[in-house]
Structure formats: structure tokens, C-alpha cells
Amino acid sequence: MDEAVKRRGLRRRRPNFDDSSSSWLITYSDAITLLLAFFVMILSVSDIDQGKVEALQEGLSTVMTDRQQTTPFTDIKKALDDYIEQNGLQDQLSVILDQRGVKVEFANVALYDSGSADLKAGAVPLLEKVSAIIRDTSHETHMIEVEGHTDDIPIANKQFPSNWELSAARATHVVKYLMSQGVAKERLKASGFADSRPKEMDPAQTIEQQRAANRRVVVQVRRY
């Protein structure tokens, strides 16, 4: 009889958890980390602002690992912004983060003379610095696309029958310079758009100001 009572008592007895133990936190932390990593992965493959993705990745990495996360697009922008400010180049160069990655825009006057696709001698130090930052900060899996743009004034000469050839030649020369500075050719692409992709302009600007703004070379660093 006593033995039966003991067995019933054992069945009703609750497990004795050690409240001082924190081993459950390890499992909980792992689960949260995996969940956060899943959301980061979803964000990374979505067509959203890459700057926001990198900011999220950096924040999560700091919280979960106490280490600084590599954020190449943000790093490129910061390095170029510092260079622009230190050298007063706001009229020649601008950098923004967009949905594709980081966009570096050269005013045409910074690189080329009117109607020419030959890099100006004075443009070399600027292009050298930009090339070094892109080469050293971007990831080897990033595509670098150089776009040439012109205004809407037609050009027609022996060298450039139209603005298409002029814009393509300008983009190609920047690509060649990036290659000479150590950027792998497999990561590079040159595109000429002539005047087919004008910028959104302030209606208060004059026609000549709008045309000057559209004469530009754009370097896009983006995901494959």
C-alpha cells in the first residue's frame, strides 16, 4: 500500500527547475538571431533602398555581436562626402544612396571639355581619388556601371555622328581609367544614354542650366 502511494506521489510531483539557471537564454538568443538574420536576408533580396538595408544590418550586427558590420555602399558615400567637403567639390561631384546602391555623379565640366570624350588633365586627380575609394571599399561582387549622358543639343562630326557615340565614348574612357586603377574588368560596364534620360529639373532654372546639369557621367556601384 505504501509503495502505491509513493508511485502516485512521484507522478504528481512537478519538475524542479533551477530558477538561477540561465541556460535557456542561449536557445532564446539563437532563435532571435536566426529570426533577425532571416529578415535581413528578405530585405537584402528585395528591391528597396540599399542605404536603409545597410543601416539595418549595421544596427543588428552591433546589437547582436557588438562588432561593426561592413557596409560598403554607406562607406563609399561617407568617404566621398568627406573628400568633396574637404576639397570644395560640391559643384563637380555628388554622391547619393538609392535603391540600386550608391550613385556617384560627375558634372561634365569636371571630366570633359564640350564636345570631347578625352579626359581633361585636371580631372585625373579627382578620378584617381574616386577610383581608389570605389576599388578599396566596394565588394568584389558589386557591379560598377558607368553611364554617359549629354544634353539635347545634337552633335554631328566625323568623330561623333550623334550624342549616342559621344556619351558612350565618355563612359568607356572612365571605365578604362577604373581598370587602370585596379578595378577588375569583369565588374565594369559602360553605357551611353545620350539625352534620353534627362534629370528632373527645377522649372526656375534656365534652359542652359538644365542642359549643363544633364551633361554628366554617373558611376553606379550596385549589387549583381
Side-chain angles (χ1 to χ4, degrees):
M1 184 66 178
D2 291 341
E3 189 64 28
V5 171
K6 288 182 181 180
R7 285 198 296 268
R8 287 197 298 272
L10 287 173
R11 285 198 297 269
R12 288 195 298 268
R13 186 179 300 166
R14 295 179 179 179
N16 183 23
F17 291 107
D18 183 1
D19 293 337
S20 64
S21 174
S22 60
S23 60
W24 64 273
L25 286 173
I26 298 175
T27 302
Y28 177 77
S29 177
D30 288 344
I32 293 298
T33 302
L34 289 173
L35 185 60
L36 290 174
F38 172 75
F39 282 113
V40 168
M41 180 189 68
I42 294 298
L43 288 170
S44 298
V45 299
S46 302
D47 186 19
I48 61 174
D49 192 304
Q50 289 301 302
K52 293 179 180 178
V53 172
E54 290 195 344
L56 176 60
Q57 290 174 332
E58 186 174 8
L60 291 177
S61 178
T62 301
V63 170
M64 301 306 300
T65 67
D66 200 27
R67 291 197 303 267
Q68 189 73 18
Q69 174 73 20
T70 300
T71 52
F73 296 141
T74 306
D75 293 344
I76 291 172
K77 185 179 188 307
K78 183 179 184 307
L80 288 175
D81 281 342
D82 291 344
Y83 176 68
I84 291 169
E85 183 176 355
Q86 292 166 7
N87 294 275
L89 299 172
Q90 289 83 357
D91 293 337
Q92 301 184 43
L93 188 65
S94 63
V95 189
I96 65 170
L97 289 174
D98 61 15
Q99 290 186 346
R100 304 177 71 189
V102 63
K103 180 168 73 173
V104 185
E105 182 174 309
F106 295 88
N108 190 67
V109 67
L111 301 181
Y112 301 107
D113 290 322
S114 179
S116 172
D118 297 324
L119 287 169
K120 296 164 60 174
V124 173
L126 173 61
L127 199 53
E128 181 180 14
K129 180 64 175 181
V130 172
S131 299
I133 291 173
I134 291 175
R135 179 195 64 218
D136 298 339
T137 311
S138 65
H139 195 272
E140 61 182 8
T141 61
H142 290 151
M143 183 75 179
I144 302 171
E145 180 175 355
V146 182
E147 303 173 354
H149 301 265
T150 69
D151 59 27
D152 60 351
I153 299 176
I155 187 173
N157 57 40
K158 185 176 181 180
Q159 186 177 11
F160 304 115
S162 72
N163 284 333
W164 291 102
E165 286 83 4
L166 175 60
S167 62
R170 287 175 170 173
T172 300
H173 285 176
V174 173
V175 162
K176 288 181 177 179
Y177 188 86
L178 288 167
M179 287 177 58
S180 74
Q181 298 301 301
V183 179
K185 63 182 180 181
E186 293 82 5
R187 300 174 58 198
L188 292 165
K189 177 182 178 181
S191 302
F193 292 101
D195 62 331
S196 66
R197 297 190 181 182
K199 298 175 66 175
E200 291 186 10
M201 293 297 170
D202 183 350
Q205 290 181 312
T206 65
I207 294 298
E208 184 49 46
Q209 287 175 326
Q210 293 180 12
R211 284 172 171 166
N214 279 315
R215 295 190 293 266
R216 67 201 191 277
V217 172
V218 177
V219 179
Q220 289 266 8
V221 184
R222 58 184 178 83
R223 298 176 301 166
Y224 273 107

